[in-house]
Amino acid sequence: MAREALKNSRALSEIEAAKYIGMSRSYLAQARMDGRRDNRTPAPPFIKIGRSVRYLREDLDTWLNSFSKLEHLGQA
């Protein structure tokens, strides 16, 4: 039952968000610290609740959808 509640959670922890987007937890931490930099993949939006970092599921979906879908590497 707890697993089902987590599956429907709107705010994800760093570990849950990393799994959700298929990236590492260290990528999320580094991207948050770097901010927007040239030639770097921008970090997904996040929120802070006290000292806790959370990622909203809808923000992660929007972030993922912002990247181009490629048929082959020649399109990049």
Side-chain angles (χ1 to χ4, degrees), residues 1-2 5 7-8 10 12 14 21 31 33 35 38 41 47 58 66 68-69 72-73 75:
M1 188 159 155
K7 190 185 230 184
N8 295 324
R10 182 174 174 222
L12 304 175
E14 185 178 59
I21 65 171
M33 288 186 275
D38 291 338
T41 301
I47 59 174
E58 59 264 25
S66 73
S68 299
K69 296 175 183 165
H72 55 82
L73 290 178
Q75 292 177 304

Side-chain angles (χ1 to χ4, degrees), residues 3-75:
R3 181 175 264 183
E4 188 63 32
L6 185 60
K7 190 185 230 184
N8 295 324
S9 177
R10 182 174 174 222
L12 304 175
S13 69
E14 185 178 59
I15 293 170
E16 294 163 344
K19 287 180 185 176
Y20 188 77
I21 65 171
M23 302 290 275
S24 69
R25 183 179 180 190
S26 63
Y27 163 76
L28 289 175
Q30 189 66 46
R32 275 196 318 274
M33 288 186 275
D34 286 347
R36 286 203 174 271
R37 294 178 66 187
D38 291 338
N39 300 323
R40 295 275 175 102
T41 301
F46 64 95
I47 59 174
K48 294 265 307 198
I49 303 171
R51 293 174 56 182
S52 299
V53 173
R54 294 291 180 262
Y55 293 86
L56 299 178
R57 192 178 299 270
E58 59 264 25
D59 288 343
L60 294 176
D61 289 336
T62 300
W63 181 79
L64 286 170
N65 289 331
S66 73
F67 296 98
S68 299
K69 296 175 183 165
L70 305 176
E71 297 288 326
H72 55 82
L73 290 178
Q75 292 177 304

